[in-house]
Structures are given as C-alpha cells and as structure tokens.
C-alpha cells in the first residue's frame, strides 16, 4: 500500500452523500480509496446502501494512508460505538497524517479533545458545545476549515469539504481548485473550461 491510498470510514448509519465528491475525484486523480469499518462485516449507510469494508479499523495504520475521512452518522450522537474511530483520528494526527471529518464526525472529534486547540467548524457551534468540549473559541462559522492536518465541515457542505481535501492533498490547486468549487458548488459552467485546460 502506498501513501496514495485514502481511507474512508464506513459504519452503520454513515451519511453516504457527504463524501461522494471527495472520493470520486480522488479516485479520478490517482488515489485509491479503501473503506474501513469497525470490522469487515457489512454496514448499512443512512441511505440504505450496504457496504462491505475492505479493512477493519484495528488493521488501519497511519503510515499506510494519505488521509482518513470520517463521514457523519447517527451513531456519532447516540453512544460511544464510533469512539474508536475518533481515537484512530488522534493516532493519525499525532503521526502527521491528515484527517477530514464532516457533520457528526466533528462531534466525535470534539469528544476526543481533538478540536480543543484547533480551528474547526461543524453544523453549528451549539452542536459541538453540547459535547462539553473546550474548543468553542476556535469555532469558525464557515463552510469548511483546514487547520494543519485537520479538515472539518458541516453537513450541508460536502463540496466545500471536498475542496479542502483536494487542497490539502494537492489534487487541485489555485485556479483549478477555484474552478472545481465554482462548477460543483455554484453550477458555474464557465469553470468547466478551466478544469479542462
């Protein structure tokens, strides 16, 4: 496995629409996307899709990955079932490997203490405040935030989330990154020419 492998966490109730732009464009640009579940047993997304994880969480190592993506899920807010994914995120960040979390996954990272000293965003500030975390002063009311190796976004911002991932991994940069965002976020057809150039 090379550092061109990105790991997408999948677990029951995961929000399948939140990472589609990200994984599709990573795959189209030379990255391999591997799914990681609590085990390799099938999981069911919020949209009813059945996914067979390619890897169990216990087998995942930061040195084998370019990025860990954590989508939202109902389970982030209904107990500790996904806490092992937040602990894995800590291991990744400590190893200098980026982590991208969207929607409910940001609450999981907040509970793990990973947002206490980093700039971040989520659905709304009071959603994270309800976790009891200590990072409220670092909350940014914006579409997506990158702070070093940590990317966060709210549930309504899958395109901005993808933009931040692409910037962090160097998939698109500068004018092309801006054009990609304008095309997929704003439906700006003029951006298509820039992407093709």
């Amino acid at each position: 496995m090379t550092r061109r492998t990105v790991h997408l966490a999948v677990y029951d109730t995961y929000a399948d629409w939140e990472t589609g732009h990200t994984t599709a464009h990573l795959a189209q640009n030379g990255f391999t996307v591997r799914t990681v579940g609590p085990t390799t047993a099938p999981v069911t997304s919020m949209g009813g899709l059945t996914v067979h994880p390619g890897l169990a969480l216990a087998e995942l190592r930061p040195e084998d990955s370019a990025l860990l993506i954590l989508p939202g899920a109902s389970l982030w807010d209904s107990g500790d079932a996904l806490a092992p994914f937040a602990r894995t995120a800590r291991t990744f960040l400590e190893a200098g490997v980026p982590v991208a979390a969207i929607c409910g996954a940001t609450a999981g990272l907040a509970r793990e203490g990973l947002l206490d000293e980093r700039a971040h965003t989520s659905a709304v500030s009071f959603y994270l405040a309800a976790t009891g975390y200590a990072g409220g002063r670092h909350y940014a009311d914006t579409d997506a935030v990158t702070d070093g190796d940590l990317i966060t976004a709210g549930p309504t911002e899958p395109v901005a989330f993808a933009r931040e991932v692409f910037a962090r991994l160097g998939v698109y940069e500068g004018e092309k990154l801006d054009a990609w965002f304008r095309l997929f976020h704003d439906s700006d057809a003029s951006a298509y020419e820039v992407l093709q150039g």
Side-chain angles (χ1 to χ4, degrees):
M1 193 177 302
T2 70
R3 295 290 289 226
R4 298 285 289 181
T5 299
V6 168
H7 290 91
L8 171 66
V10 292
Y11 20 73
D12 284 331
T13 75
Y14 84 92
D16 39 29
W17 67 91
E18 292 177 341
T19 60
H21 288 288
T22 304
T23 56
H25 289 271
L26 287 174
Q28 291 173 12
N29 284 279
F31 285 83
T32 298
V33 178
R34 290 198 71 194
T35 52
V36 181
T39 67
T40 56
V43 298
T44 304
S45 75
M46 199 176 290
L49 302 177
T50 300
V51 176
H52 297 263
L55 191 69
L57 185 61
E59 301 172 286
L60 179 61
R61 302 179 319 157
E63 58 267 31
D64 295 332
S65 188
L67 172 75
L68 174 61
I69 301 171
L70 299 173
S74 301
L75 287 179
W76 283 112
D77 296 319
S78 61
D80 295 328
L82 299 183
F85 285 91
R87 289 193 293 273
T88 298
R90 175 180 294 283
T91 302
F92 267 59
L93 292 170
E94 289 173 349
V97 180
V99 172
I102 186 168
C103 190
T106 62
L109 298 188
R111 288 184 197 96
E112 182 64 21
L114 296 175
L115 304 184
D116 289 350
E117 300 299 330
R118 293 177 172 92
H120 60 276
T121 193
S122 184
V124 288
S125 60
F126 56 82
Y127 171 65
L128 290 185
T131 68
Y133 86 129
R137 69 191 178 283
H138 299 293
Y139 185 88
D141 189 12
T142 190
D143 59 5
V145 172
T146 298
D147 185 338
D149 287 328
L150 181 64
I151 296 165
T152 52
T156 61
E157 298 296 340
V159 177
F161 181 69
R163 177 196 63 206
E164 298 301 302
V165 169
F166 301 156
R168 179 63 186 80
L169 296 182
V171 175
Y172 300 120
E173 297 174 318
E175 188 178 66
K176 277 200 169 184
L177 181 63
D178 177 65
W180 184 90
F181 184 74
R182 286 188 292 114
L183 179 63
F184 288 95
H185 187 267
D186 303 328
S187 299
D188 180 352
S190 69
Y192 183 78
E193 290 182 21
V194 177
L195 283 173
Q196 297 306 306

